[in-house]
Amino acid sequence: MANQPGASTVAGPQILAEPKARGRRIRGGAFPAGGGAKSRPVPGEPRRIGYAYLAPAFLVYVLFALWPFVHSIYLSFFSWDGVGPRRYVGFANYRAIVDNSELRDAFIHAFVLIFFYSVLPTLLALLLVSIMSRSRIRGLTAFRTVLFLPYVVAPTAVAVIWRWLLAPGGPVNGLLSDVGLKSLPRPWLGDFTFALPSVGLIGTWVLLGLAMVLLLAGVQKIPTELYDAARIDGAGAWWEFRAVTLPGLRYEIAVVLVLTVTAALRNFDVIYVLTSGGPGTSTTVPSWLVYNQAFVVGAVGAAAALGITLAALIVVVNVLITRIGRVAT
Amino acid sequence: MTLVVQSGDGGSTGLLAAYAKLNSQFEAAHPGVKIKFVVKTFNDLLSTLKLQLSGSSGVPDVTQDNQGYSSLGALVTDGLVKNLDPIAAANDWSARQPGGLLALDGKFSTDGKIMGSGSVWGISATGTWVGLFENTVVAKKLGISSAPTTLAQLEQDMAIAKAHGALPMMMGTSDGFEPLWTLYEILMAQTSPQILSTITDGMSSTLPAAMTAAAKTLQTWQNDGYFTTGESAYSNSDAFSKFVGGQGLFVVSGSWNVPLPGPASSTARFRMILFPMQRANQLAAVSSGDLPWSIPTHSPHAQLAAEYINYITSPAANSAWIAAGQVPASLSANELQDATSSNLSGSSHDAVTAWVDLLQHGSMEPYIDWSTPTFLTTMVQSVQSLLGGKKTPSAFTSALQADYGPFVQQRHG
């Protein structure tokens, strides 16, 4: 406490007479204990007081994210309806995820969605970005905005729009029969084979804009000299992409993958509004099961176990992605 | 004093209008009492109810919940609602509503483990039944002059419609409800109406073989092209609004749809009848009360709450329900007069008169998807697979049995 007033009075002179103030800050400031030259913080290094600035946000984080997470881990070992007495069941809730084919299928569906939510938008965005980086396009800002727009729209609104688009008498089917593909129209979201890919393509549509904006920003910071050098070396469009654009974008690609894979794995709103896991169990995903178990069936322990497994999966996949991103350098 | 009343009937305009009227009548009869009527949607109510009632503040004086193990059953198990036996006895609720209705809407054993018998924990104010809506204009064009009175006649009418290129039955399966209602009615028609209560009672842990036969009939109707093309993309309410828009000869749906939207000139062509059984004189329908009313254990004004529930479910409330086009749960032959003399017409009139028929000579049977906490989810997924050609009728029954059997066994064990 004694240090505090000293530290605050220093704040003024620090700006006016920097060298002197710096010296005083070290003596009377946040690092009084060290004394030796080693512990002397470099200017601009964080001081311990920084933790106090962090505290309010950290407290909120602990209260609303960390503590519920830890509590969920605890709950996942119980059979509990949310109110009454809890019964300890060990790992039974986790075993069910492995043993029960419906729960297992939900995780498989989530991985199928990764292709549509993550792989496809990233590939498409790379293609678009490499085209954009090579040529001047009129109205680029307008294109960028239009492509980014789906990401800004609320997922529920997206779902409602697509339900209309994909309805049996809707525009998508209308277009298909108008161009002569009479055998293709079908109730997409009610079709056992096509419901999951349909939901997936909606994800592609939503996340393409995000992927593109992030990659475009990355491309703009690649020095044009590199492209010039590549061209002088006789590189065509493919080698320019392969040797300059792709390596230059590896961090952005990792970011895009982390964001989109997470979106794929925790997908709930679009499924909830469009299919509720149907037809049959063909579009069930872990997040929807968490909701269904906790709020419809009243099996809070099972829901917690599903949630924890999903969170763990997201962490593992994202660690892998960032690891790969680093190895690629 | 403010009485906080929580409803889950959000969106049901007719019901809410009647509640508003009854609330002001109740306030007039209780000077100094003000009713705060909180309206939530069904999903909002159910997803938060347990936590709300177990909290120490913000507990309403009266609330609606839902029938079945996962809602009212869980509230009873956790001691979150009051036992209404004393009020029921004092006001002779058993004379007010048919026993079957009272039992399935609000009775549970005191541990919440057995549904349909034991103490009263909730009571519904209005009732609904599932039946067959028919478009009489379409029927006339096809040369069908009267409503079907047996299952065989219904199948015949549908065959005629199909032969003339008309849609026999409007169907929407994306939420699973409509094919299930149809299945329950077929199940009753092919055996006896009581088969449904036998299943919910869980006296045997094995589902009857008739389930497979009913599933087969449903699948046959589908294969014969009796249902809407692209049905899997429509919910039951999508399908119903298409039907009211003029598509299809029949649709299976509930009396909660009346009064039908639109001008009388357009709604007059629809009639609502009991789903035809095996014989013409058999009257039966899947029926239940609307969301039951209960008193939370932590209700701040439990005494007044009891009076409120007693009032809205009493015969005195009936004229308000009927005027709003609703079917009161406590309707008796006397109130049929009310219905006839009021301005109800078309299917609204049908909804009330058929309810009286059911009360007097028929069977009111439960939704079997209440049988276990997970049965609705299981049944919805299985019936979609059945109609999508992914499950055979016997695989359909096996999937149901895998949910039903263990629960029933554990309940009695």
Side-chain angles (χ1 to χ4, degrees):
Chain A
M1 276 309 281
N3 291 329
Q4 293 295 70
S8 64
T9 50
V10 163
Q14 194 177 334
I15 300 157
L16 296 173
E18 227 194 73
K20 201 179 161 204
R22 199 184 291 158
R24 275 184 60 191
R25 186 179 63 187
I26 292 158
R27 272 196 307 278
F31 294 89
K38 261 189 182 168
S39 73
R40 217 170 255 213
V42 184
E45 278 282 284
R47 290 175 293 154
R48 250 177 242 179
I49 184 77
Y51 293 110
Y53 300 146
L54 271 180
F58 185 67
L59 202 69
V60 170
Y61 180 72
V62 167
L63 219 57
F64 292 101
L66 219 51
W67 169 244
F69 182 70
V70 173
H71 192 59
S72 296
I73 295 177
Y74 170 74
L75 287 178
S76 67
F77 296 107
F78 290 87
S79 166
W80 188 40
D81 73 349
V83 176
R86 297 166 198 167
R87 192 164 52 83
Y88 179 78
V89 293
F91 282 91
N93 289 327
Y94 289 96
R95 263 201 305 276
I97 298 172
V98 184
D99 294 344
N100 184 323
S101 65
E102 275 171 26
L103 300 184
R104 213 170 43 216
D105 284 352
F107 281 92
I108 294 171
H109 297 155
F111 277 100
V112 173
L113 287 183
I114 288 182
F115 172 76
F116 288 101
Y117 272 62
S118 193
V119 178
L120 209 53
T122 310
L123 291 179
L124 285 174
L126 275 174
L127 183 73
L128 283 173
V129 163
S130 51
I131 292 170
M132 284 177 171
S133 67
R134 282 179 62 83
S135 46
R136 284 205 58 79
I137 297 170
R138 273 176 179 279
L140 181 64
T141 321
F143 281 124
R144 223 163 34 196
T145 313
V146 168
L147 282 168
F148 191 64
L149 216 50
Y151 188 71
V152 185
V153 178
T156 312
V158 167
V160 172
I161 294 166
W162 279 94
R163 185 166 56 194
W164 172 72
L165 286 170
L166 294 172
V172 170
N173 283 329
L175 192 72
L176 289 173
S177 27
D178 285 351
V179 299
L181 298 166
K182 298 260 189 252
S183 64
L184 284 185
R186 63 193 69 228
W188 297 98
L189 295 167
D191 191 292
F192 276 83
T193 314
F194 291 98
L196 191 61
S198 301
V199 171
L201 283 172
I202 296 171
T204 309
W205 179 76
V206 169
L207 292 168
L208 174 60
L210 175 76
M212 208 199 63
V213 166
L214 287 173
L215 295 186
L216 207 57
V219 156
Q220 279 160 0
K221 72 166 212 272
I222 298 176
T224 42
E225 294 82 14
L226 288 180
Y227 285 101
D228 295 339
R231 270 171 218 162
I232 289 165
D233 287 345
W238 166 247
W239 272 105
E240 236 175 73
F241 172 75
R242 179 74 187 71
V244 182
T245 314
L246 202 54
L249 282 178
R250 61 180 181 270
Y251 292 120
E252 285 77 10
I253 291 172
V255 170
V256 166
L257 286 178
V258 165
L259 288 175
T260 53
V261 165
T262 308
L265 289 175
R266 66 182 183 87
N267 179 11
F268 170 78
D269 17 39
V270 173
I271 293 282
Y272 178 77
V273 176
L274 282 183
T275 65
S276 289
T281 54
S282 59
T283 59
T284 51
V285 288
S287 303
W288 183 83
L289 285 177
V290 169
Y291 161 81
N292 195 53
Q293 293 287 316
F295 294 107
V296 180
V297 176
V300 176
L306 277 164
I308 298 298
T309 309
L310 180 61
L313 193 70
I314 291 175
V315 169
V316 167
V317 170
N318 283 338
V319 165
L320 283 178
I321 291 170
T322 36
R323 178 79 43 95
I324 290 165
R326 229 174 292 144
V327 169
T329 68
Chain B
M1 192 198 305
T2 302
L3 189 73
V4 181
V5 179
Q6 176 170 271
S7 161
D9 278 323
S12 309
T13 332
L15 273 173
L16 294 177
Y19 275 115
K21 196 165 157 188
L22 290 168
N23 288 345
S24 51
Q25 285 174 10
F26 187 81
E27 284 172 342
H30 296 77
V33 171
K34 191 103 194 85
I35 290 177
K36 189 180 167 201
F37 198 74
V38 183
V39 180
K40 294 184 173 174
T41 64
F42 177 75
N43 282 336
D44 282 352
L45 177 79
L46 293 186
S47 55
T48 53
L49 190 61
K50 254 196 283 188
L51 282 176
Q52 184 196 27
L53 297 192
S54 60
S56 51
S57 64
V59 177
D61 294 300
V62 192
T63 186
Q64 281 185 313
D65 36 53
N66 193 21
Q67 293 98 337
Y69 286 104
S70 55
S71 182
L72 186 55
L75 297 180
V76 172
T77 305
D78 297 332
L80 295 176
V81 287
K82 280 185 188 294
N83 189 324
L84 302 181
D85 279 347
I87 315 161
N91 296 285
D92 201 9
W93 282 1
S94 56
R96 209 176 257 190
Q97 294 190 5
L101 203 63
L102 206 54
L104 276 160
D105 286 338
K107 282 194 180 175
F108 267 97
S109 57
T110 44
D111 59 1
K113 293 274 188 277
I114 296 178
M115 179 176 68
S117 60
S119 296
V120 180
W121 306 89
I123 182 171
S124 305
T126 57
T128 54
W129 55 281
V130 172
L132 196 63
F133 286 84
E134 184 180 18
N135 186 329
T136 55
V137 173
V138 174
K140 208 169 187 177
K141 268 190 214 145
L142 297 167
I144 299 166
S145 54
S146 60
T149 54
T150 63
L151 182 62
Q153 267 181 30
L154 171 65
E155 294 196 277
Q156 209 179 345
D157 288 352
M158 290 200 292
I160 293 172
K162 185 69 197 171
H164 287 76
L167 170 65
M169 188 173 276
M170 178 53 74
M171 178 63 77
T173 65
S174 77
D175 54 354
F177 293 124
E178 200 181 336
L180 288 182
W181 300 330
T182 314
L183 179 86
Y184 304 160
E185 299 283 353
I186 294 173
L187 198 54
M188 289 197 288
Q190 289 179 340
T191 55
S192 81
Q194 286 69 28
I195 192 168
L196 299 189
S197 34
T198 314
I199 293 172
T200 51
D201 285 350
M203 285 314 157
S204 158
S205 61
T206 310
L207 287 168
M211 183 68 82
T212 308
K216 192 164 171 49
T217 303
L218 192 68
Q219 206 181 42
T220 309
W221 288 3
Q222 149 104 354
N223 294 342
D224 289 348
Y226 288 178
F227 299 153
T228 328
T229 331
E231 74 209 14
S232 58
Y234 301 116
S235 68
N236 82 84
S237 50
D238 293 340
F240 194 80
S241 38
K242 280 171 178 293
F243 176 79
V244 174
Q247 295 179 41
L249 174 60
F250 298 113
V251 71
V252 174
S253 198
S255 63
W256 55 83
N257 287 301
V258 305
L260 298 180
S265 56
S266 114
T267 57
R269 64 197 149 136
F270 302 109
R271 65 172 155 228
M272 188 183 183
I273 58 166
L274 293 169
F275 193 91
M277 295 286 116
Q278 206 156 30
R279 297 188 312 275
N281 55 357
Q282 272 179 309
L283 305 177
V286 172
S287 333
S288 83
D290 185 39
L291 307 180
W293 288 98
S294 300
I295 303 177
T297 308
H298 306 304
S299 164
H301 309 103
Q303 185 57 40
L304 196 63
E307 283 182 45
Y308 180 82
I309 292 186
N310 192 50
Y311 180 71
I312 57 173
T313 56
S314 70
N318 282 0
S319 57
W321 295 124
I322 293 173
Q326 304 299 314
V327 183
S330 64
L331 196 69
S332 67
N334 289 342
E335 278 76 37
L336 182 57
Q337 239 87 62
D338 280 4
T340 319
S341 59
S342 74
N343 287 328
L344 293 184
S345 65
S347 48
S348 299
H349 191 260
D350 297 340
V352 178
T353 50
W355 180 259
V356 175
D357 281 346
L358 277 175
L359 279 173
Q360 292 178 330
H361 327 281
S363 317
M364 294 181 154
E365 291 295 313
Y367 293 86
I368 55 176
D369 47 70
W370 293 349
S371 301
T372 86
T374 49
F375 215 34
L376 179 62
T377 307
T378 304
M379 291 197 82
V380 166
Q381 290 171 348
S382 305
V383 84
Q384 286 174 341
S385 304
L386 176 78
L387 293 181
K390 301 283 165 185
K391 268 195 168 77
T392 62
S394 58
F396 171 80
T397 308
S398 311
L400 266 48
Q401 179 63 37
D403 182 329
Y404 183 81
F407 179 78
V408 171
Q409 265 165 4
Q410 164 227 313
R411 210 182 62 176
H412 289 292

